[in-house]
Structures are given as C-alpha cells and as structure tokens.
Amino acid sequence: MERKERLKKAMKDEAEVLSRNAERIDYEIMSKITDILGSVKRKGKKVVLAGCGTAGQAAKRIAHTLCVVEVPSFFLSPADSIHGGMGVMQEGDVLILISKSGNTQEILNYLPAAQKKGLTVIGVTENESSKLGRAADIVLKIKIDREPDCWGLVSSASTLAFISAFDAMAFAIMEENGYTKEEFYLIHTGGGVGDILRKEL
C-alpha cells in the first residue's frame, strides 16, 4: 500500500469508528450522564476525571471541554491521586473514570475513597463486566471493533470515541442551560475564538 493510501485509510477508519459508535451507544445512559453533569454547577459541586495513557489524554480533553461550557471540571492524575490528591474529592462530586479494559489498577484505586466519600462514579469502558463496570454507579459502554493501526492495539479511534461522546453531552448542556455568548466570552477572551466573540458582542 502506498503511503498516501495508508494515511488516508487510517483517517477513514477512525471516522467510520465514530460513525458506528453514534449508532451503537446507549443514549439513555448518555442522557442520564448529561443530566448529572448539567446540574453540577447549580449544586456547587465539581467533576473529577481520570484515565491512564491515551485514556488520560481523553480525560484531560473532556475536562477542558466541560469547563468551557461552565461545568467545573479537572483532571486528577492517577499518580497524584494516591499521594493525597484524592482529598479534593468531596461528597456530591462526580468522578468520571475512563478505562478501555475497565481493569486498570491505577483507575480502580479511586474507587474506595469515592464510594466512602459519596461521589457519583461514572465508568467509561468497553467492558461492563470489568471491575470498573461492576463498581460504577453508571456505566457508559464504548466499544469499537478495531483500532486502525496495523496491529489493532494502539488506542486511537477508541480515544476519539470517548471524547466524541462527551463533546455531544457538553454541547447539549450548553444549549439546555441557556449558555450565552456573553458568558462564553467572559472565560474565552483569547485566540481566534476570543477575536470572533469580541467583534460580535
């Protein structure tokens, strides 16, 4: 296969994974999670996210997007969490744990403190029968057929699928909470987006 075709195939394969996921995902579960996330600010609570490796990068991206739509969120490093970082987790907060297998020990480490402190735990995994799947209050199952690399092992399309699902929920919250451009500009004065908002307002 020529390089151009190899590159094109990988991008098309990722796009197809997202399209397929949009048909398979459980929208009732997504709706429940959207309700929970949409009420966080009103209740004076916050969202804590965690993941390892590429799942961790997805968690960071999701945390930022939620902040953009005024859902107070942040990423808590698995390395820091077991060295006192979990002290930030308080009763009524929401904990989103992302693990493709659902058995990543660094992610399971959050569960005892979260359960004892009274957080709502949302597990994002492809395996509902995993340790995370069984322990979480709500499970969002995201399972893809195959990653697009030559081995089918490098978490890439699955990571995009995690992000895509939470983008959709964030944008639903944005509209349903009546989020305005004025509010958006208050927190996003920089970059090209800030320039556009500055001209419009």
Side-chain angles (χ1 to χ4, degrees):
M1 186 185 298
E2 292 183 3
R3 179 173 291 170
K4 178 182 175 182
E5 291 305 310
R6 183 176 289 114
L7 297 172
K8 186 176 182 180
K9 182 180 184 303
M11 289 190 289
K12 289 184 76 173
D13 285 350
E14 288 196 341
E16 286 172 14
V17 164
L18 294 181
S19 180
R20 220 171 290 129
N21 187 57
E23 299 302 322
R24 293 176 174 174
I25 203 162
D26 189 328
Y27 284 98
E28 287 189 17
I29 294 295
M30 282 185 73
S31 183
K32 288 179 183 177
I33 296 172
T34 302
D35 285 340
I36 291 169
L37 298 178
S39 68
V40 165
K41 182 180 178 181
R42 185 171 64 250
K43 293 179 177 178
K45 303 301 179 180
K46 58 188 176 293
V47 181
V48 181
L49 294 100
C52 289
T54 50
Q57 299 306 310
K60 290 177 184 178
R61 166 64 162 70
I62 292 165
H64 179 75
T65 301
L66 289 174
C67 284
V68 166
V69 300
E70 290 285 343
V71 178
S73 308
F74 67 95
F75 174 78
L76 177 60
S77 160
D80 293 337
S81 67
I82 56 172
H83 292 276
M86 283 189 282
V88 76
M89 303 185 331
Q90 296 299 317
E91 184 176 0
D93 287 345
V94 178
L95 177 64
I96 300 175
L97 298 175
I98 304 175
S99 170
K100 188 176 177 183
S101 70
N103 292 311
T104 305
Q105 186 56 52
E106 294 93 332
I107 298 307
L108 300 178
N109 288 340
Y110 291 80
L111 292 171
Q115 291 165 343
K116 192 160 188 179
K117 287 186 166 205
L119 280 77
T120 297
V121 179
I122 298 172
V124 184
T125 181
E126 68 175 16
N127 185 2
E128 294 168 299
S129 300
S130 64
K131 292 178 182 178
L132 175 60
R134 294 196 305 270
D137 297 302
I138 301 173
V139 179
L140 179 62
K141 181 179 179 179
I142 295 181
K143 182 175 175 59
I144 69 167
D145 296 327
R146 190 180 188 280
E147 302 287 4
D149 66 280
C150 60
W151 301 323
L153 292 174
V154 180
S155 295
S156 50
S158 57
T159 304
L160 294 178
F162 296 150
I163 292 170
S164 174
F166 280 90
D167 279 350
M169 289 184 264
F171 299 151
I173 291 167
M174 185 178 184
E175 291 189 49
E176 292 167 15
N177 282 3
Y179 192 39
T180 66
K181 283 186 177 180
E182 287 79 9
E183 290 173 302
F184 187 29
Y185 181 56
L186 185 65
I187 65 166
H188 204 315
T189 56
V193 170
D195 291 340
I196 292 170
L197 291 170
R198 194 174 299 111
K199 291 172 184 175
E200 290 184 357
L201 298 174

